Structure formats: structure tokens, C-alpha cells
Amino acid sequence: MSEPLVVGVDVGGTKTQVRAVDSEGAVVQDVVVATRGWEASDAGAARWLARTVTDALGGRAALTVVVGAHGVETVEHARELGDRTAAVLRASVTIVNDAELVVPAAGLQDGIGVIAGTGSIVVGRDRSGARLRAAGWGWVLSDPGSASALVRDAVAALLRAEDAGRPDAVLRAHLLESVGVPDVPGLVHRLSWAQGPERWGDHGPAVTGAAAAGSHLATEVLAAGAEALAACVRDLVSRGADGSAVVLAGGLLAAVPEQRERVADAVRRFVPGAHVRHLAEAPVAGAVNLALARCGRGS
Amino acid sequence: MSEPLVVGVDVGGTKTQVRAVDSEGAVVQDVVVATRGWEASDAGAARWLARTVTDALGGRAALTVVVGAHGVETVEHARELGDRTAAVLRASVTIVNDAELVVPAAGLQDGIGVIAGTGSIVVGRDRSGARLRAAGWGWVLSDPGSASALVRDAVAALLRAEDAGRPDAVLRAHLLESVGVPDVPGLVHRLSWAQGPERWGDHGPAVTGAAAAGSHLATEVLAAGAEALAACVRDLVSRGADGSAVVLAGGLLAAVPEQRERVADAVRRFVPGAHVRHLAEAPVAGAVNLALARCGRGS
């Protein structure tokens, strides 16, 4: 009978990755499935999680499981969901928010994680180990520097520019084409009412594309978004987080190197001495590293 | 048979006022009805409008009708709707956007109207008489200084303050009580997803109330909203509008004298020499004044 595995899981908004390693740390299984049927606060969440892990392990048993899960916002919720999943899996299960995988995925024990994709969040820990976060309050009112916020801010800036008689033709053209409407009233109607914030992030490439095509307004919006993320990092440092290492991750920062550089530059300006790196590993590596550490095999 | 009447109509988002005057300018009828069944772009809009006027006149005929109508955004739309309404009413009918009633309601021929209620819009005319507008793009992304925008901006400011470890207990308490939720995550969920922007304006009193109770953050949001409206006035002046007279109107500015003063002060700073007044008349008076001018009886 083979030895039980050490397992890391990253439950994201759209896909879930399960990676299992043996006692040497060698990868035995690495599976990606759609995050379908997952609702973190749902009664079935523990069963879904246990079944997803069991299916991925192909008959082998889990020893220690660490899960970074989208939508798990409180310590109490994480503990309760972990206990229920552990009872089904008959293994040690620890659950954290998926944003908390970024720093360990970079092989670090401490630091600040910055994730900017459809949404954004900045996470760290204070000296007592308590979790700190900034942003991540949702696309409508929060999430600076995310694709959703960049579109929201770009449209608002476009409207102000139109009103002031200083239209930005490049940004306007990129946004109209991306949204598929003929004019600015159509753009506003679509993004405010017909589709709404759930789809703002889809049009992020229109903003970065407009900046690349010379739109000053788009460039200003991208710079402001980068600075707003850096301000979140500075806020966590002021609340006691260790800002010497800052790890950047998320779909937007992976896809747009120019914006990643803007964020990195802004973090270095706002937090002098910060060592900023981009996460090359998949976040699931953070869950594996945390699981290895929990059974005394961490680096 | 009595002489036909001169009629002004204000079709607002929730109520419609019809006021008819005789050849001496004396008020003969003044009726307020719910704006129920009105959809400016609907095929039945002309019929609704004609019936509403006919019902209000109590059997007397209309000679000249001017309508300020919510939702009429383009010159073409206004002309087409006016022609169709005229055909039913057998009278001269002119339609403008309801925001354009504010300046004539103050008895002025030229100037800039600032309306801030649930939404906001700033309107004027350039030297050729063409309509200019700023803001009024809807509550989600636009409408600075409106009740909706003040709530949106106050919640965003509250979230940033919470993230930075500088919570504003007064603003938080006022918003939580108004929205009826126990904590900030509940507030965000309700205002972002469960209710959404349609209801933001309802919580305007929580922002002005927090400012009155000493919240610095709420006061900053109110000041920024006032300055954003004043910036719209400055924008229209830079595009050729006559900024010597600026008329303030709308439910928010009528209900909150402190905010009206902030807007007036900001307009005076941004447009030196502007004479700022608050509209004491109902906007329907503007429609009546425009109608009297059209039949050569205007002041």
C-alpha cells in the first residue's frame, strides 16, 4: 500500500487545481477541474471539496490537505469548512482564502500578496500572525487596479472627458469596439444596466490596448490603478505586515507585463526597500508548500 | 367658448406636473399626477402625454404646450415625440429634456442649470443655442454630487479607510443603520449585488447625517461631490455656455441646505463672477415660461 499524499488545492472562481506530492515532495498528481458547483458558504461545499480531492488522487489517500478557497472570508468559516471536509476525507484539512496562497507559492514564509485579475485583493499577516487584507470588496465599489476597476474607472474618465469637451478618441474607440456598441450612450447603458459590473472585467484589454495605442487617459487610469494597489500594500505595512517581500499575481498582471511593471514600480515607491517579484508558479504550489510545512517537510 | 390655454408640463421620473395659464399669464390649472406608464422612447409616449394634458385641462383646449421630459436625450427624439403629441392634441408642442426647465423656471433666458437629486446633470447652451450637458450618464458610473454618487463614493471611501486601519465609526454606523445590515461585508454585498445602484440614492441621508454628526470622511465626500458638480459647470463655460447665472435645483439640494451651500461656494470658486441662485419655483414654471415666450407673451 502506497503512503498517503500531501495535497494542495487552489479553488479559484473558475477553476480548481489539485496537486499531490509524495514524502519526497515529488508531484504525483496535478489535476485542474472547473470550479462548478462550488459555493463556499453552501452546505455542500465540504462534500464538493472532499470529492474533488478524492477524484484527483486516483485511489490514494490524503495525509495532509491545505486548501486555498475563493469566497472563504473569515477564520470561523475556514475552520468550520475545514473540519467538515476533514471528517469526510479522514485527513488533516486546513482552509485559507485563495489569496493567501500567493506568498507561500513564491516559496516565502512571510510577505504581502497582491492579486489583480477580474478583481483585486492585497493580503498579509501582522506580527501576531493575524490575517490582514485590503481591497477585495467586490468589483462594483472596490478592487482597485483589477480589470473590472480599470474598465469602471476608464469609462468614468471617458465620460468626464466628453463632458469637458476633451474627448479621448482612442480610448473611446477601444471601449466601443470591445463592448460592441456604436456610441457613448450605448456604452454607458450596457455597462451600467444591461450587463453590469459582472462583465466589466471582460473589457480590460480595451483599456490596456488603448494605452498601448497612445491614449493618455487610459495610461492615467492604469497608473492610478497601479498606485491604488501600491497604496493597499503600504496600508498593510502601516498595520504591521512585513513589506520586505511583495509577490504580484493574478490574471491581469500575468497577461499585461506593462501593468505589472507599473504596479511593481509603484510598490517600490510607496514601500521603499520592498523586494517585488512576480509569481511564476501556479498558486496551488502555495497550498502544497503550506501542507508540506504542516507535516514538517516544508523548506 | 373660452380661449385656448398656454401649457407647461414637467415629466419627472416619479411625478408629472401640468400647469396651464390664460392669456394674462394667470394660472388656470395646476395638476400633479404620478408618472406611471411613461417611457420616453415608448411608442405610447405621445398618447400618454396628450391624454395627461387633456385630462388636466378639464375640457379646455391647449394652444401652445412646452414639455420638459425625463428620458428625452436627443434633439431628434424630442422633435419626433413633439410632432406626434401635437398631432393628437391639435396644438403646438415643443419637447425638451426636463433638466432644461431649471433656467427658465428661474425666470432667466440664459444660464446653467445644475440638478442634483437621485442623479445629477448640468445643462446649458452654447452661443449658437445648441444644448450642452455634463454628467447625467447614470448613477453607476456618473452623476457626481447626486445622492446616488454620494453613497457610492462614501462606501468606497469607508472601505479604503477600513483597509488602511483608519475606520470612520460615525460614517460606518450611519451607513449600516440606513442599509439595515450588521457589518461592512453585509453593506458591500447589499449595495453591490443584492440591491445595487438603483437604491444607492435612498441612503443619501446617511451620508449627510454622518457629516452633520462629525464624520470627516462624509464631509470630504460631500465636498468632493460639490466640487465635481462645480467642475461640470466650469466645463460647460469652457465649451461656450453663459456662466453668469447658475441655477441649483433637484431634490438633494432642496432637502440639504448645507450641501446646497457647498455647491454654490464651489461654483463661485470655479467660475468667478457666477451669480448662483437656488430654484424656489417648481420646474414646471420653466415650461410655462418657455410656452409663453413661444406665443410672444414671455417676460
Side-chain angles (χ1 to χ4, degrees):
Chain A
M1 186 181 153
S2 42
E3 57 168 345
L5 299 169
V6 174
V7 182
V9 185
D10 172 25
V11 183
T14 54
K15 64 186 174 63
T16 291
Q17 185 162 8
V18 181
R19 184 178 289 178
V21 301
D22 65 18
S23 61
E24 310 296 314
V27 175
V28 175
Q29 294 284 356
D30 201 359
V31 176
V32 176
V33 298
T35 305
R36 210 164 275 149
W38 167 258
E39 174 53 65
S41 57
D42 194 83
R47 277 200 308 279
W48 184 89
L49 210 42
R51 192 174 60 242
T52 300
V53 170
T54 305
D55 290 352
L57 296 194
R60 292 183 67 174
L63 174 68
T64 302
V65 182
V66 171
V67 182
H70 183 72
V72 172
E73 302 295 344
T74 66
V75 171
E76 297 72 32
H77 182 195
R79 186 178 302 130
E80 193 223 356
L81 185 57
D83 288 348
R84 288 198 285 123
T85 310
V88 185
L89 269 183
R90 296 168 189 270
S92 155
V93 178
T94 305
I95 298 195
V96 297
N97 183 274
D98 57 343
E100 297 187 65
L101 301 182
V102 168
V103 168
L108 299 169
Q109 303 225 330
D110 207 358
I112 293 175
V114 175
I115 302 111
T118 305
S120 69
I121 190 167
V122 178
V123 297
R125 290 191 177 274
D126 71 12
R127 289 177 196 92
S128 74
R131 182 176 178 241
L132 300 174
R133 63 80 79 84
W137 296 100
W139 312 328
V140 186
L141 297 163
S142 169
D143 293 14
S146 68
S148 301
L150 294 174
V151 171
R152 178 188 71 205
D153 297 348
V155 174
L158 181 74
L159 297 177
R160 284 197 301 274
E162 300 270 329
D163 286 349
R166 297 186 298 270
D168 184 316
V170 174
L171 178 58
R172 181 170 50 193
H174 276 75
L175 284 169
L176 293 183
E177 189 189 347
S178 179
V179 176
V181 289
D183 52 24
V184 171
L187 180 74
V188 173
H189 183 261
R190 188 72 67 91
L191 294 180
S192 293
W193 311 111
Q195 294 186 335
E198 294 85 351
R199 304 295 297 277
W200 287 348
D202 297 354
H203 309 293
V207 182
T208 53
S215 161
H216 291 294
L217 210 51
T219 304
E220 281 173 24
V221 166
L222 290 166
E227 295 204 345
L229 279 171
C232 289
V233 175
R234 183 181 56 198
D235 286 344
L236 294 202
V237 171
S238 77
R239 291 167 66 192
D242 178 356
S244 58
V246 177
V247 183
L248 309 184
L252 172 73
L253 300 186
V256 189
E258 297 81 2
Q259 186 62 3
R260 192 164 73 225
E261 279 314 303
R262 284 191 192 95
V263 174
D265 288 347
V267 169
R268 290 185 198 104
R269 274 187 286 125
F270 283 34
V271 184
H275 180 75
V276 185
R277 67 180 79 183
H278 184 251
L279 185 65
E281 286 282 332
V284 73
V288 171
N289 287 344
L290 289 173
L292 285 169
R294 264 168 218 280
C295 37
R297 297 176 198 161
S299 52
Chain B
M1 186 182 153
S2 42
E3 58 169 347
L5 298 169
V6 173
V7 181
V9 185
D10 173 25
V11 183
T14 54
K15 64 186 174 64
T16 291
Q17 185 161 6
V18 182
R19 182 178 290 179
V21 300
D22 63 19
S23 60
E24 311 296 314
V27 174
V28 175
Q29 294 283 356
D30 200 0
V31 176
V32 177
V33 299
T35 305
R36 209 164 274 148
W38 168 257
E39 173 54 65
S41 58
D42 194 82
R47 276 198 308 279
W48 185 89
L49 210 42
R51 193 174 59 244
T52 301
V53 170
T54 305
D55 289 353
L57 297 194
R60 292 182 67 173
L63 173 71
T64 301
V65 181
V66 171
V67 181
H70 183 71
V72 172
E73 302 294 345
T74 67
V75 171
E76 298 72 32
H77 183 196
R79 187 177 303 131
E80 193 223 355
L81 186 56
D83 288 348
R84 288 198 285 122
T85 310
V88 184
L89 268 183
R90 298 169 189 268
S92 155
V93 177
T94 304
I95 300 196
V96 298
N97 183 275
D98 57 341
E100 297 188 65
L101 301 182
V102 167
V103 167
L108 299 170
Q109 300 224 333
D110 208 357
I112 294 175
V114 175
I115 302 112
T118 305
S120 69
I121 190 167
V122 178
V123 297
R125 293 191 176 273
D126 70 12
R127 290 176 196 92
S128 74
R131 183 175 177 242
L132 300 173
R133 64 79 80 83
W137 297 100
W139 313 328
V140 186
L141 298 161
S142 170
D143 293 13
S146 68
S148 301
L150 294 174
V151 171
R152 177 188 73 205
D153 298 347
V155 174
L158 180 75
L159 297 177
R160 285 198 299 276
E162 300 270 329
D163 286 349
R166 296 187 297 270
D168 184 316
V170 174
L171 177 58
R172 181 171 50 194
H174 276 75
L175 284 169
L176 293 183
E177 189 188 347
S178 179
V179 177
V181 290
D183 52 25
V184 172
L187 180 74
V188 173
H189 183 262
R190 187 73 66 91
L191 294 182
S192 293
W193 312 111
Q195 293 186 334
E198 294 85 351
R199 304 294 298 275
W200 287 348
D202 298 354
H203 309 293
V207 182
T208 52
S215 160
H216 292 295
L217 212 50
T219 303
E220 282 172 21
V221 166
L222 291 168
E227 296 205 342
L229 279 172
C232 290
V233 175
R234 183 179 57 198
D235 287 346
L236 293 202
V237 171
S238 77
R239 291 168 66 192
D242 178 356
S244 58
V246 177
V247 182
L248 310 184
L252 173 72
L253 300 186
V256 189
E258 297 81 4
Q259 186 62 1
R260 192 163 74 223
E261 279 313 304
R262 284 190 192 97
V263 174
D265 288 347
V267 170
R268 289 185 198 105
R269 273 186 288 124
F270 283 34
V271 184
H275 181 76
V276 185
R277 67 179 80 182
H278 184 252
L279 185 65
E281 285 284 331
V284 74
V288 171
N289 287 344
L290 289 174
L292 286 169
R294 263 169 220 280
C295 36
R297 299 179 198 159
S299 52

